[in-house]
Amino acid sequence: MITLYDCATAPSPRRARILLAEKGIAHDTVQVDLRSGEQLGEAYRRINPQCTVPALRTQEGLLLTDNAAITAYVEARYPQPPLLGETPGEKAEIASWNWRVEFEGLLAVAEALRNSAPAMANRALPGAVNYAQIPALAERGLARVAQFFTMLNERLAGRDFIACGRFSVADITAVVAVDFARVVRQKPGEQHPHLLRWRSAMAGRPSMSL
């Protein structure tokens, strides 16, 4: 049985949960309490020395410790429905947009949150090493989130999906990024009608409630 090391309140493992749900893959779940610092404890370090979630233990016993690896494995092992594209062109477009949404969206929100939240003092980056907060990066992160909403709204004009006219991992990453922005009090508004329409449509997929 596949095992997902998860945290119900964190955005990165949510991406893995949605992926597994869209693929219809049965799996066990182990919750890791990030708020109490469980990911930094010796027990979890023995599982994942990087001290991050998600982590996925495959049926073969391989441990995958990031969404890129998890997605690549799941798509290869369970190809239907295809979420990384089918043709070379589709694969390239989806990969490009997934990376852009991750970099311009998810990482922007994380930059704003991790460099401002008192609970994350000295935890400005995830992982086993502590890093000090830089307040100026929090300000930059908020500006980047605003630009991300503008970019995504423009991309979705006349489109139902982020890439290739089909649901893909790029949509999964984008939903998680848009929802995650609420932790820094940012959300799409009336100036983002295409983004709001798309997000409302995504809510109709059962996986998005996870």
Side-chain angles (χ1 to χ4, degrees), residues 75 79-87 90 93-94 160-171 198 202 205:
E75 183 82 350
Q80 296 299 323
L83 297 179
L84 291 177
E86 294 185 292
T87 68
E90 286 181 350
E93 183 175 336
I94 290 170
D160 293 328
F161 304 102
I162 301 292
C164 298
R166 66 163 68 192
F167 181 81
S168 72
V169 293
D171 294 286
W198 165 86
M202 289 294 107
R205 306 182 75 92

Side-chain angles (χ1 to χ4, degrees), residues 110 113-125 131-133:
L113 175 66
R114 285 186 165 273
N115 285 286
S116 63
M120 292 187 171
N122 295 319
R123 295 295 300 159
L125 292 172
Y131 291 95
Q133 293 174 327

Side-chain angles (χ1 to χ4, degrees), residues 89-124:
E90 286 181 350
K91 290 178 182 293
E93 183 175 336
I94 290 170
S96 178
W97 275 99
N98 190 56
W99 166 242
R100 187 171 180 184
V101 168
E102 182 170 333
F103 181 75
E104 297 183 26
L106 275 175
L107 294 183
V109 179
E111 184 175 71
L113 175 66
R114 285 186 165 273
N115 285 286
S116 63
M120 292 187 171
N122 295 319
R123 295 295 300 159

Side-chain angles (χ1 to χ4, degrees), residues 29-46:
T29 298
V30 175
Q31 290 292 329
V32 179
D33 187 356
L34 300 187
R35 292 183 177 179
S36 70
E38 184 181 356
Q39 77 278 19
L40 301 173
E42 284 303 315
Y44 189 67
R45 283 176 185 265
R46 287 194 293 271

Side-chain angles (χ1 to χ4, degrees), residues 159-204:
R159 290 185 171 88
D160 293 328
F161 304 102
I162 301 292
C164 298
R166 66 163 68 192
F167 181 81
S168 72
V169 293
D171 294 286
I172 295 174
T173 305
V175 164
V176 173
V178 169
D179 293 354
F180 182 36
R182 296 171 187 164
V183 301
V184 289
R185 300 180 182 178
Q186 302 295 307
K187 62 181 180 179
E190 60 182 14
Q191 70 273 37
H192 307 111
H194 309 300
L195 174 51
L196 291 174
R197 168 189 50 77
W198 165 86
R199 183 61 186 90
S200 178
M202 289 294 107

